[in-house]
Amino acid sequence: MNRREKSLKINESYHKAINILEKTGIRITSQRKILTKLIFQKGNRHLSAEELFHEVKDMKVNISLATIYNTLRNLSNYGLLREIVVDQNKSIYCTNHMPHYHLYIEDEEKIIDIPNQKIDLSNIPEIPACLSLHDIDIIVRIRTLKDKKIN
Amino acid sequence: MNRREKSLKINESYHKAINILEKTGIRITSQRKILTKLIFQKGNRHLSAEELFHEVKDMKVNISLATIYNTLRNLSNYGLLREIVVDQNKSIYCTNHMPHYHLYIEDEEKIIDIPNQKIDLSNIPEIPACLSLHDIDIIVRIRTLKDKKIN
DNA sequence: TTACATGCAAAGCATTTGCAGATAA
DNA sequence: TTATCTGCAAATGCTTTGCATGTAA
């Protein structure tokens, strides 16, 4: 994919997102436009509210943290982002809307996407029948034990 | 398993836990004994700090919330409990130390254990080589979208 | 025009921490 | 005896909320 194709594709993600937002009926405010552009202009990524806030500041634009949180929540609720609660008081949002799961390395606070064919969940029991109404997230957490584990 | 056998088994879990704690070198204080007994006396379970706090109160014993949090953290760090971060500001601790994963139904705040042979993770890439130093948690989250998802 | 959004500051909430007094070993 | 633990209250840190002002449609 060359630069022009890449840029077209990014534009596409952004417009697609705005399109979806328009269909929901919420207002397409300038803040929501700017944030949506920032979030989707870099291809697949994982970002926190704080990171987005800094990116906004770097652009010399002023958008409050509250608005950033609200927008992230909206985008998640409308299925454009996936919220990953990685820790106490810490969510990360993922723009990859292809089916996939997350590998979270706690010590490095790093997230890696896992294409979903790599995990076979066919045998999981007891998922409610109304599955189509639901989202399923899988997080594989890897961490170093803080103290010595004794068995 | 009859009542006597069950009671023996519970006793066993408790003593095993205390044994492990003794080996770590931390002090076996009365609070830690009481909490360890409460946590392990009911077989496999999932419990929050708040729930444990209430159970302590029901026994007319006084143990501060801070101590409960500290103890839960200790037990987790020593591998006796597994902490599951289910949401912002909300952890649940799991006493089942057999390999298993968690199914979390967000809307009901309900956790179900999944025996680990039900998920095939053999193809997950990029887990660091020093795997033996790590714990792996898998949480399958199921939730209803709060607003209508549009695609 | 007006229902909804924004920005700010204050509140919320589970968890952690500082510190003085208590206690296990 | 003394290093560690407990209990209390205050602090933390991310996130949410209340409310006055602003603005998209």
Side-chain angles (χ1 to χ4, degrees), chain B residues 106-120:
Chain B
E106 291 200 353
D107 306 303
E108 305 173 28
E109 294 198 16
K110 189 178 161 191
I111 288 193
I112 299 168
D113 285 354
I114 310 170
N116 81 348
Q117 66 272 23
K118 298 256 182 174
I119 302 180
D120 175 12

Side-chain angles (χ1 to χ4, degrees), chain B residues 6 41 48 77 80 87 100 104 110-111 126 133 141:
Chain B
K6 204 165 179 181
Q41 80 182 352
S48 65
N77 289 346
L80 289 165
D87 250 316
H100 70 285
Y104 180 59
K110 189 178 161 191
I111 288 193
E126 298 186 60
L133 292 173
R141 271 163 201 284

Side-chain angles (χ1 to χ4, degrees), chain A residues 27-29 49 66 69-70 73 89-91:
Chain A
R27 286 194 187 151
I28 311 303
T29 62
Y69 275 109
N70 288 335
R73 191 148 28 106
N89 285 325
K90 190 82 191 163
S91 279

Side-chain angles (χ1 to χ4, degrees), chain A residues 35-52:
Chain A
L35 293 176
T36 303
K37 193 167 251 169
L38 271 178
I39 291 169
F40 292 103
Q41 80 182 352
K42 290 192 185 171
N44 285 339
R45 59 186 303 211
H46 301 106
L47 80 176
S48 66
E50 206 61 36
E51 277 162 21
L52 188 54

